Amino acid sequence: MGDHKEQPLRVGAAVRRRRRALNLTLAVVAGRSGLSVPFLSQIENDRARPSRSSLEKVADALRTTAVELLAAADPACSVDVVRAEVPETAGPQAAPRVRALVRGHHQLHASEFTGDHDAGREFQHRNDELMYVADGAVEIEAEGRAYRLVRGDTMYLTGGVRHRWRATVPETRVIVVAVAEHIEAVQDRTR
């Protein structure tokens, strides 16, 4: 009970995200799909569950597939437990791992990085981000400065800040929490 996979899917948010990404109105999607605007609105607000046939019509109108829309669907739950994964191999030679701590398309993304990390890879996220060192230590380069964080330290990065990081201790665990990229959380910071 409470596990993500036991919950029915809510396809409405996936339909709305896709429609908005294509800059389409409900009326345009209705015209392309042959379905009514009120019915499409009910689908997007999860007040109606489309049949397979209707979902395929919507997907065609959105230039995608029903399978893709279902894959992007949110679980119909407000509580989701993500169980800890036990790595098959442990120790300093274990391969780096990334584990999602929040599943689905939500306003919050969180991931756990364990082990080494590609220090050469630069990141720049549209929205704000928080990095928390759960175990070990990391070096972070941001805005031309280097920072060393150890267990228990956090770093807040404003959206748009270019940064890169690397683990400096084997089996380092870093938790990264960010506002989802599909959310317009960036405010005008030029004031």
Side-chain angles (χ1 to χ4, degrees):
M1 184 142 86
D3 284 339
H4 183 77
K5 62 186 173 220
E6 296 174 0
Q7 303 297 328
L9 293 176
R10 298 181 311 187
V11 73
V15 170
R16 183 183 309 107
R17 279 191 300 272
R18 178 68 180 172
R19 178 179 62 79
R20 287 180 177 170
L22 295 172
N23 292 318
L24 300 175
T25 64
L26 281 172
V28 169
V29 176
R32 288 181 180 179
S33 67
L35 301 172
S36 71
V37 170
F39 181 60
L40 290 171
S41 177
Q42 289 177 342
I43 290 172
E44 284 193 0
N45 292 300
D46 289 315
R47 288 192 296 261
R49 290 187 64 184
S51 67
R52 181 71 179 182
S53 172
S54 293
L55 186 59
E56 287 173 359
K57 289 177 183 179
V58 171
D60 287 344
L62 296 174
R63 297 185 184 104
T64 189
T65 65
V67 172
E68 289 293 321
L69 288 175
L70 289 170
D74 293 335
C77 63
S78 58
V79 176
D80 184 26
V81 175
V82 178
R83 301 283 179 199
E85 295 177 358
V86 179
E88 292 179 23
T89 59
Q93 302 303 322
R97 296 180 308 280
V98 178
R99 179 171 71 104
L101 301 176
V102 177
R103 294 181 278 213
H105 294 274
H106 300 289
Q107 295 181 3
L108 178 83
H109 281 271
S111 297
E112 176 186 61
F113 296 86
T114 304
D116 202 3
H117 185 69
D118 181 4
R121 183 171 176 204
E122 185 175 72
F123 298 93
Q124 182 179 24
H125 302 288
R126 188 172 77 190
N127 294 324
D128 297 352
E129 175 180 319
L130 178 79
M131 297 178 75
Y132 170 72
V133 180
D135 284 310
V138 297
E139 286 181 355
I140 302 171
E141 182 184 316
E143 295 188 319
R145 292 186 57 197
Y147 302 88
R148 179 169 167 73
L149 278 66
V150 297
R151 183 178 181 206
D153 290 345
T154 61
M155 175 179 274
Y156 169 81
L157 298 157
T158 300
V161 171
R162 292 182 186 276
H163 60 285
R164 60 174 48 111
W165 64 276
R166 70 178 186 91
T168 58
V169 174
E171 287 302 297
T172 291
R173 285 189 318 124
V174 177
I175 309 297
V176 177
V177 179
V179 176
E181 290 291 320
H182 67 273
I183 303 295
E184 281 295 332
V186 176
Q187 296 177 346
D188 183 11
R189 292 187 171 95
T190 58
R191 292 180 236 169

